[in-house]
Amino acid sequence: MKVFKAGAAAAAAVALALTATACGVSNDKSGGSGDSTATGGGKDKVVVGIKFDQPGLGLKTPDGKYTGFDIDVATYVAKELGYQPDQIEFKQAISSERENLISNGDVKFVVATYSINDKRKERVDFAGPYFLAHQDLLVRANDDSITKAEDLNSKKLCSVTGSTSAQNVKTKLAPKADLLEQGGYSECLTALENGAVDALTTDNSILAGYASQEKNQGKFKLVGLSLSNENYGIGLKKGDKELQTKINAALKKMVEDGSWDAAVKKNFGPANYKNEPAPQITEGS
């Protein structure tokens, strides 16, 4: 009889644990994989989507740390939502997967150079914007053959699958350019350095981050164009107005208390990047 009771107790414990897991509740504060904790069950942990390969914005370093402007914004917002830095789990959000991560509940929100546009808003909602960038071109430092968008029509151009920059080139700027789409910007940068492509296009903030890296200094230059306006927003599940309101309030506070300016100077200062002022928040208003 005692054996039966012990077995029943063990079975009940297992059932309870499975129920807690299914509800997205976790006491794991180690920063492990735990995707089911994206809802921040019991505010033990929050999962945030970021870029891993964008220096100055969202970069995972070889020692496992995270740096960049988007990281600072995400950390500030998470704190305003009730999470300390050790309660944040950062999950890689490549451009083509951001909507899926949000829709599937793999992340609570995404801070990943995520330009707000109508097509994306069909699947997700945004808070913000929190930053205004412009599409530009990065070329090799000794290349003076590209000075305007039209010059790309006879050139090989690299961008990232799922980015607005790639679509902008295809439809508006240089429809005859030989466009190579890669999974990440680091692959495009390698292709640019070894001569496989002639230019890399994306937001000037991202390009400035790459160009300012110590290993890249003197190798590349920004052409200095403003080919589009890219308002970065924080992506979240469609219809979650409560979270949208809270994130917007956090972004406003970040600007008002000076933390936004401090983050810009810290992350973009070395590249001599001239940023736009903090944009007015329009999403959810």
Side-chain angles (χ1 to χ4, degrees):
M1 185 63 69
K2 291 182 179 180
V3 173
F4 172 79
K5 288 182 178 179
V14 170
L16 182 61
L18 289 174
T19 301
T21 301
C23 294
V25 178
S26 173
N27 292 319
D28 176 17
K29 298 183 181 181
S30 63
S33 57
D35 293 346
S36 62
T37 64
T39 55
K43 289 201 174 178
D44 288 322
K45 184 169 63 174
V46 62
V47 184
V48 181
I50 61 167
K51 291 294 181 67
F52 277 17
D53 66 342
Q54 291 180 353
L57 285 150
L59 182 69
K60 183 177 182 180
T61 60
D63 60 358
K65 295 180 180 179
Y66 301 93
T67 65
F69 180 74
D70 279 355
I71 307 302
D72 291 340
V73 171
T75 302
Y76 189 100
V77 168
K79 182 180 179 182
E80 291 300 304
L81 294 177
Y83 300 93
Q84 296 303 311
D86 63 351
Q87 293 175 291
I88 303 171
E89 178 191 336
F90 289 120
K91 185 177 183 69
Q92 186 173 25
I94 62 175
S95 295
S96 60
E97 287 297 318
R98 289 175 295 201
E99 287 86 29
N100 290 334
L101 289 172
I102 295 169
S103 299
N104 295 338
D106 295 325
V107 296
K108 184 75 169 178
F109 56 88
V110 168
V111 189
T113 57
Y114 202 3
S115 297
I116 301 170
N117 63 40
D118 290 339
K119 183 178 180 180
R120 289 169 177 167
K121 287 167 72 171
E122 292 175 1
R123 295 189 60 192
V124 301
D125 278 338
F126 287 93
Y130 65 91
F131 195 83
L132 173 58
H134 303 287
Q135 184 178 353
D136 198 356
L137 304 172
L138 189 71
V139 299
R140 289 181 290 276
N142 60 356
D143 186 355
D144 296 321
S145 66
I146 300 174
T147 59
K148 56 186 182 300
E150 291 77 11
D151 294 334
L152 295 171
N153 279 312
S154 59
K155 302 289 186 179
K156 294 180 179 180
L157 176 69
C158 193
S159 192
V160 171
T161 304
S163 70
T164 54
S165 297
Q167 297 304 316
N168 199 26
V169 169
K170 282 182 177 179
T171 59
K172 300 176 183 178
L173 301 176
K176 294 182 181 179
D178 185 2
L179 181 62
L180 172 67
E181 294 187 68
Q182 296 282 24
Y185 293 105
S186 54
E187 291 95 328
C188 280
L189 196 71
T190 299
L192 180 60
E193 183 174 7
N194 64 28
V197 299
D198 301 298
L200 160 59
T201 187
T202 187
D203 305 343
N204 52 7
S205 55
I206 298 172
L207 298 177
Y210 279 114
S212 66
Q213 280 188 300
E214 186 175 351
K215 65 179 181 180
N216 293 329
Q217 290 178 7
K219 294 181 180 180
F220 310 105
K221 64 181 179 182
L222 275 75
V223 175
L225 306 176
S226 293
L227 302 176
S228 69
N229 294 328
E230 304 295 337
N231 283 289
Y232 293 168
I234 294 180
L236 54 119
K237 183 161 285 191
K238 195 165 184 64
D240 194 342
K241 298 301 181 183
E242 181 181 358
L243 181 60
Q244 183 185 54
T245 299
K246 289 180 178 179
I247 294 178
N248 279 337
L251 294 175
K252 289 178 183 177
K253 183 178 178 181
M254 186 177 186
V255 173
E256 291 169 357
D257 68 14
S259 299
W260 188 91
D261 277 325
V264 169
K265 291 175 183 177
K266 182 183 78 171
N267 293 293
F268 298 122
N272 196 30
Y273 172 67
K274 294 179 175 59
N275 65 282
E276 299 278 4
Q280 293 294 314
I281 291 176
T282 58
E283 298 302 306
S285 59

